[in-house]
Amino acid sequence: MVEHASQVAHQFEDATQQYEASTLGMWAFLLTEIMFFGGLFAGFFVYILGHAQAFAEGSRHLDLTLGTVNTVVLLGSSLTMALAVRSAQQGNRNGQLLFLGLTVILGSLFLGIKGLEYVHKFEQHLVPGPSFGLAGPHAQSAQLFFSFYFAMTGVHALHMIVGIGLLAWLFVNAWRGKYTEAYFTPVEVSGLYWHFVDVVWIFLFPTLYLVARHG
Amino acid sequence: MTHPTVSLRLYLGIFAALILLTGLTVGVAFFDLGGGRLHAVNAAAAITIALVKALLVILYFMHVRYSSRLIWIFVGAGGFWLLILFVLTLADYLGRGLFPLPLPWNP
């Protein structure tokens, strides 16, 4: 790897050491994120054991079509993010701009569809609280399901918004031609974050949407 | 060392596999595979497919496959600690018999 003095911070020997330290640092952060989302998943698993029928009923009120489309959209954004890193690694500025732009568009599309689902939930009175409209023997416990639904997808969406902010910053720097074969660490590290958010959704989707879909 | 450039073909192949697995997990969800009140077999199928998808993203999109041993240890530690969180939490709740599971010895 060619040394690029201007982009290596003074505490590092060379660009490779800086790259390895940055990557490891991002993984250390992602481990705390795993435990953060892990707590929500553990809570969900405990409650579904106690309220299996109510959670199944709640799950059937989610829009499977929109959920599946959103899964495909987010997986697509992970592909374009990986290709953006690849372009940066090859010093291909146009490729970086194209794929970073596509990733922003797909990420925003995901948030738009998620927002649409939220609007439907409000219209159908499926938001926990005084106006919760689901009747029947499981009405109380079903509110628990929707509390988990909004908390988990909401926190996930917040991570997406942060990710889109990172992508916008990368896009500006890529426009200025900052990322080359010798220095693409920020693109790589932001990519790790973006893929992590994708992995969280890979588990959220079956957990929330596919629980007892057939029943 | 930084990771080698991954070929476009491999990235597209991984993406195709992720989409196929998404279709599979949605399709499987419409069939009752058994497992009683908790739909245990369906849940196991959904979680297994999700794990495979996550592994594909982590190994290839996140380049862990091409990373140093140190990164492998970090990623492994993340999975291990998550397992501790789930296993100990559920062992406690299930061990106390708070939620009578549909097991042969439970009436």
Side-chain angles (χ1 to χ4, degrees):
Chain A
M1 179 178 257
V2 190
E3 282 219 28
H4 223 271
S6 60
Q7 280 143 343
V8 179
H10 66 86
Q11 69 268 34
F12 295 111
E13 289 282 335
D14 52 32
T16 306
Q17 193 193 28
Q18 175 169 274
Y19 169 89
E20 288 183 347
S22 302
T23 314
L24 194 66
M26 180 45 98
W27 270 108
F29 169 67
L30 293 183
L31 294 200
T32 69
E33 291 275 74
I34 289 175
M35 295 315 282
F36 172 75
F37 281 101
L40 285 167
F41 276 97
F44 185 92
F45 293 149
V46 166
Y47 277 91
I48 200 173
L49 288 174
H51 306 273
Q53 283 165 323
F55 273 45
E57 197 176 325
S59 175
R60 279 194 287 273
H61 280 85
L62 297 184
D63 193 325
L64 183 59
T65 311
L66 289 184
T68 309
V69 168
N70 246 355
T71 307
V72 173
V73 167
L74 201 57
L75 289 173
S77 82
S78 249
L79 174 69
T80 56
M81 185 72 231
L83 294 178
V85 174
R86 188 171 181 271
S87 301
Q89 203 174 5
Q90 293 173 331
N92 174 358
R93 178 171 168 273
N94 287 336
Q96 290 172 44
L97 293 176
L98 170 69
F99 290 120
L100 286 173
L102 278 175
T103 312
V104 169
I105 290 169
L106 289 172
S108 308
L109 184 61
F110 177 94
L111 286 175
I113 293 175
K114 197 81 236 153
L116 196 66
E117 281 190 73
Y118 277 10
V119 169
H120 290 165
K121 294 291 161 291
F122 274 93
E123 285 170 355
Q124 295 162 0
H125 293 280
L126 290 172
V127 181
S131 68
F132 191 73
L134 214 59
H138 306 303
Q140 285 293 322
S141 320
Q143 290 201 43
L144 278 174
F145 174 83
F146 282 101
S147 299
F148 273 111
Y149 169 77
F150 280 106
M152 292 168 106
T153 58
V155 173
H156 178 262
L158 200 63
H159 279 77
M160 296 277 305
I161 293 168
V162 172
I164 289 173
L166 281 174
L167 287 168
W169 169 71
L170 290 179
F171 190 89
V172 171
N173 280 337
W175 186 271
R176 291 175 182 155
K178 207 173 160 189
Y179 305 125
T180 58
E181 302 94 312
Y183 179 73
F184 60 96
T185 305
V187 189
E188 169 80 22
V189 170
S190 308
L192 287 180
Y193 175 84
W194 190 263
H195 296 308
F196 170 80
V197 177
D198 186 29
V199 169
V200 172
W201 182 259
I202 285 175
F203 286 104
L204 273 181
F205 174 62
T207 305
L208 295 171
Y209 288 78
L210 301 180
V211 170
R213 173 63 54 178
H214 56 82
Chain B
M1 256 320 281
T2 63
H3 60 84
T5 310
V6 182
S7 75
L8 189 63
R9 230 182 126 100
L10 182 58
Y11 275 144
L12 291 176
I14 297 293
F15 177 67
L18 288 170
I19 297 299
L20 281 178
L21 286 167
T22 303
L24 183 67
T25 193
V26 172
V28 159
F30 284 99
F31 297 96
D32 189 353
L33 303 177
R37 183 171 58 90
L38 291 168
H39 314 283
V41 180
N42 281 82
I47 289 174
T48 307
I49 293 171
L51 278 174
V52 173
K53 285 167 75 181
L55 268 181
L56 288 177
V57 172
I58 290 168
L59 286 178
Y60 292 96
F61 284 177
M62 297 173 93
H63 308 125
V64 168
R65 193 178 159 205
Y66 312 102
S67 298
S68 65
R69 291 284 156 212
L70 191 57
I71 299 281
W72 277 86
I73 291 171
F74 265 55
V75 178
F80 184 65
W81 253 257
L82 192 63
L83 210 61
I84 292 177
L85 174 67
F86 288 158
V87 170
L88 292 193
T89 305
L90 292 177
D92 192 44
Y93 275 96
L94 296 177
R96 288 168 196 269
L98 290 175
F99 309 120
L101 291 179
L103 296 171
W105 53 86
N106 280 330

